[in-house]
Amino acid sequence: MSTWICAGAAIGAFILTWLSGYWLIPLLHKLKYGQTILDIGPKWHKAKKEGTATMGGIGFIIAVTICFTAGMILLANNGEKFLGENKPEFLRSVSGMIMALLLGLMGFLDDFIKVKKKHNEGLSWIQKVIFQVMIIAAYFATMYINGLSRTVITFPGGVQWDLGWLYYPLVGLLILYMVNAVNLTDGIDGLCSSVTTVYTVIFTVITAILGMSGQRLLAFCAAGGCIGFLTWNAPPAKVFMGDTGSMFLGGIVCALGLGCGAEFLMVIAGIVYVLEALSVVIQSTVFKITKKMYHTTEGKRLFKMTPIHHHFELSNWSELKIDIVFSIVGLLFGALSIVFAFNMFGK
């Protein structure tokens, strides 16, 4: 029965997100909440995408929250003792959802500043990091206070690495990296929503292997919300999710990985996010090193533009092709993470 509840919640999240586009997009246009495009991006972005409604992530955030809450209530009525022996499962799932919502709220603040000032700079990077660190610390504190803290990372083959107190700063940095990597992936129509659909579907399988109903519900709801949003966000996009949506999805990505005790699998299944952010780091590093090495005002660039999806875009790949190829890469590594999950947690 729990599988049917989760599936029903996913369908509900899909329908609510899809329907939200009919009222949310006109409302965003009426409020003049349009996207401002940076001049440093691909030249055609400003011409084609300037003014497209943004902050559309509000739609799937509301849908996922409603369906997750309803699903938890139904699971409890179906015998899940969330206030008894299954309380740890309840706390992990709810705390992860709250972390995602707080990150989404931070993204909303960033978007709101952008649309009000009519430029593409909202919160400063240091303000974002401070907010994110506070939210991550609150998540860890919730786990610790409720006796759910752990310091062990599991790898394939049953290898376990107990980091002790170092777990919190190191995994905290991992969360910080992944959340902002998901945000960077939201650079062209449909990319973040399609890649995250694949990621969350993969985690519906991993959570089933682990027997975690709360986490599985979260994965199902997020997948349904992402698919619903794709009906509006696929190329050519009628609405962008904005930092409101991408920060929320970054929180969901991490909530699933940490809530399942599968930090390693989070990185493998989220390889597209990892590579998107890594491409920025590599580009910046190569540029600075070659600039200093050759004593020039301009360093060398390894990619045409980063994040790496822009490199392929400038190589004449269509947005749809990038969405499909990146999603296939995510699916292949996601399948690998499922194999690892059977090896690590299968009984």
Side-chain angles (χ1 to χ4, degrees), residues 203-267:
F203 261 88
T204 64
V205 179
I206 292 174
T207 52
I209 295 170
L210 288 162
M212 292 183 165
S213 57
Q215 292 293 110
R216 181 164 51 154
L217 175 65
L218 183 58
F220 263 100
C221 289
C226 285
I227 297 171
F229 188 68
L230 265 172
T231 62
W232 300 103
N233 185 235
K238 297 178 180 64
V239 65
F240 299 140
M241 66 175 67
D243 283 4
T244 304
S246 61
M247 285 292 171
F248 173 79
L249 292 182
I252 292 292
V253 165
C254 295
L256 290 171
L258 271 70
C260 294
E263 295 87 351
F264 175 77
L265 299 183
M266 176 179 74
V267 173

